[in-house]
mmCIF file of all heavy atoms in Angstrom:
data_model
loop_
_atom_site.group_PDB
_atom_site.id
_atom_site.type_symbol
_atom_site.label_atom_id
_atom_site.label_comp_id
_atom_site.label_asym_id
_atom_site.label_seq_id
_atom_site.Cartn_x
_atom_site.Cartn_y
_atom_site.Cartn_z
ATOM 1 N N ILE T 67 -9.600 22.587 -103.631
ATOM 2 C CA ILE T 67 -9.046 22.232 -104.933
ATOM 3 C C ILE T 67 -9.202 23.442 -105.869
ATOM 4 O O ILE T 67 -8.318 23.752 -106.684
ATOM 5 C CB ILE T 67 -9.625 20.941 -105.509
ATOM 6 C CG1 ILE T 67 -8.867 20.452 -106.746
ATOM 7 C CG2 ILE T 67 -11.104 21.074 -105.923
ATOM 8 C CD1 ILE T 67 -7.507 19.873 -106.428
ATOM 9 N N ILE T 68 -10.309 24.162 -105.720
ATOM 10 C CA ILE T 68 -10.476 25.363 -106.544
ATOM 11 C C ILE T 68 -9.440 26.433 -106.210
ATOM 12 O O ILE T 68 -8.884 27.108 -107.088
ATOM 13 C CB ILE T 68 -11.921 25.909 -106.370
ATOM 14 C CG1 ILE T 68 -12.875 24.980 -107.178
ATOM 15 C CG2 ILE T 68 -12.040 27.359 -106.923
ATOM 16 C CD1 ILE T 68 -14.334 25.347 -107.007
ATOM 17 N N GLU T 69 -9.132 26.536 -104.916
ATOM 18 C CA GLU T 69 -8.105 27.503 -104.516
ATOM 19 C C GLU T 69 -6.693 26.958 -104.667
ATOM 20 O O GLU T 69 -5.705 27.594 -104.313
ATOM 21 C CB GLU T 69 -8.393 28.009 -103.073
ATOM 22 C CG GLU T 69 -9.718 28.700 -103.016
ATOM 23 C CD GLU T 69 -9.922 29.536 -101.745
ATOM 24 O OE1 GLU T 69 -9.241 29.315 -100.721
ATOM 25 O OE2 GLU T 69 -10.800 30.447 -101.799
ATOM 26 N N ARG T 70 -6.592 25.712 -105.151
ATOM 27 C CA ARG T 70 -5.327 25.071 -105.497
ATOM 28 C C ARG T 70 -4.378 24.963 -104.280
ATOM 29 O O ARG T 70 -3.175 25.132 -104.428
ATOM 30 C CB ARG T 70 -4.635 25.820 -106.611
ATOM 31 C CG ARG T 70 -5.426 25.654 -107.919
ATOM 32 C CD ARG T 70 -4.705 26.254 -109.102
ATOM 33 N NE ARG T 70 -5.053 25.544 -110.318
ATOM 34 C CZ ARG T 70 -4.780 25.963 -111.533
ATOM 35 N NH1 ARG T 70 -4.122 27.081 -111.696
ATOM 36 N NH2 ARG T 70 -5.103 25.259 -112.559
ATOM 37 N N LEU T 86 -17.779 24.092 -111.338
ATOM 38 C CA LEU T 86 -16.709 23.730 -112.279
ATOM 39 C C LEU T 86 -16.232 24.966 -113.031
ATOM 40 O O LEU T 86 -15.015 25.155 -113.256
ATOM 41 C CB LEU T 86 -17.159 22.647 -113.261
ATOM 42 C CG LEU T 86 -17.177 21.238 -112.683
ATOM 43 C CD1 LEU T 86 -17.767 20.289 -113.701
ATOM 44 C CD2 LEU T 86 -15.774 20.819 -112.288
ATOM 45 N N LYS T 87 -17.174 25.815 -113.408
ATOM 46 C CA LYS T 87 -16.795 27.025 -114.176
ATOM 47 C C LYS T 87 -15.977 27.980 -113.316
ATOM 48 O O LYS T 87 -15.197 28.722 -113.857
ATOM 49 C CB LYS T 87 -18.074 27.700 -114.700
ATOM 50 C CG LYS T 87 -18.315 27.423 -116.166
ATOM 51 C CD LYS T 87 -19.573 28.146 -116.653
ATOM 52 C CE LYS T 87 -20.595 27.166 -117.239
ATOM 53 N NZ LYS T 87 -21.987 27.540 -116.987
ATOM 54 N N SER T 88 -16.230 27.962 -112.031
ATOM 55 C CA SER T 88 -15.497 28.893 -111.156
ATOM 56 C C SER T 88 -14.045 28.478 -110.942
ATOM 57 O O SER T 88 -13.267 29.231 -110.370
ATOM 58 C CB SER T 88 -16.241 29.101 -109.834
ATOM 59 O OG SER T 88 -16.088 27.965 -109.041
ATOM 60 N N ALA T 89 -13.717 27.254 -111.330
ATOM 61 C CA ALA T 89 -12.334 26.764 -111.120
ATOM 62 C C ALA T 89 -11.424 27.394 -112.154
ATOM 63 O O ALA T 89 -11.846 27.743 -113.252
ATOM 64 C CB ALA T 89 -12.279 25.245 -111.239
ATOM 65 N N PRO T 90 -10.146 27.588 -111.816
ATOM 66 C CA PRO T 90 -9.205 28.248 -112.706
ATOM 67 C C PRO T 90 -8.842 27.403 -113.931
ATOM 68 O O PRO T 90 -8.310 27.938 -114.909
ATOM 69 C CB PRO T 90 -7.984 28.524 -111.856
ATOM 70 C CG PRO T 90 -8.082 27.566 -110.711
ATOM 71 C CD PRO T 90 -9.531 27.350 -110.500
ATOM 72 N N ALA T 91 -9.095 26.108 -113.899
ATOM 73 C CA ALA T 91 -8.799 25.240 -115.013
ATOM 74 C C ALA T 91 -9.680 24.010 -114.987
ATOM 75 O O ALA T 91 -10.510 23.901 -114.082
ATOM 76 C CB ALA T 91 -7.319 24.787 -114.983
ATOM 77 N N LYS T 92 -9.527 23.141 -115.982
ATOM 78 C CA LYS T 92 -10.461 21.981 -116.056
ATOM 79 C C LYS T 92 -10.212 20.979 -114.931
ATOM 80 O O LYS T 92 -9.125 20.479 -114.742
ATOM 81 C CB LYS T 92 -10.364 21.347 -117.402
ATOM 82 C CG LYS T 92 -11.486 20.345 -117.606
ATOM 83 C CD LYS T 92 -11.491 19.671 -118.931
ATOM 84 C CE LYS T 92 -12.648 18.653 -118.988
ATOM 85 N NZ LYS T 92 -12.499 17.683 -120.054
ATOM 86 N N LEU T 93 -11.310 20.671 -114.230
ATOM 87 C CA LEU T 93 -11.208 19.669 -113.161
ATOM 88 C C LEU T 93 -11.809 18.374 -113.627
ATOM 89 O O LEU T 93 -12.764 18.332 -114.415
ATOM 90 C CB LEU T 93 -12.017 20.165 -111.929
ATOM 91 C CG LEU T 93 -11.310 21.207 -111.075
ATOM 92 C CD1 LEU T 93 -12.315 21.887 -110.146
ATOM 93 C CD2 LEU T 93 -10.196 20.609 -110.280
ATOM 94 N N TYR T 284 -7.018 18.395 -111.055
ATOM 95 C CA TYR T 284 -6.897 19.114 -112.275
ATOM 96 C C TYR T 284 -6.420 18.213 -113.425
ATOM 97 O O TYR T 284 -5.527 17.376 -113.216
ATOM 98 C CB TYR T 284 -5.946 20.334 -112.147
ATOM 99 C CG TYR T 284 -6.596 21.450 -111.377
ATOM 100 C CD1 TYR T 284 -6.369 21.636 -110.019
ATOM 101 C CD2 TYR T 284 -7.512 22.321 -111.971
ATOM 102 C CE1 TYR T 284 -7.001 22.644 -109.296
ATOM 103 C CE2 TYR T 284 -8.141 23.305 -111.278
ATOM 104 C CZ TYR T 284 -7.885 23.466 -109.945
ATOM 105 O OH TYR T 284 -8.496 24.478 -109.230
#
Side-chain angles (χ1 to χ4, degrees):
Chain T
I67 191 73
I68 285 175
E69 297 195 340
R70 293 186 151 168
L86 280 175
K87 258 181 237 147
S88 71
K92 191 178 177 197
L93 282 165
Y284 285 99

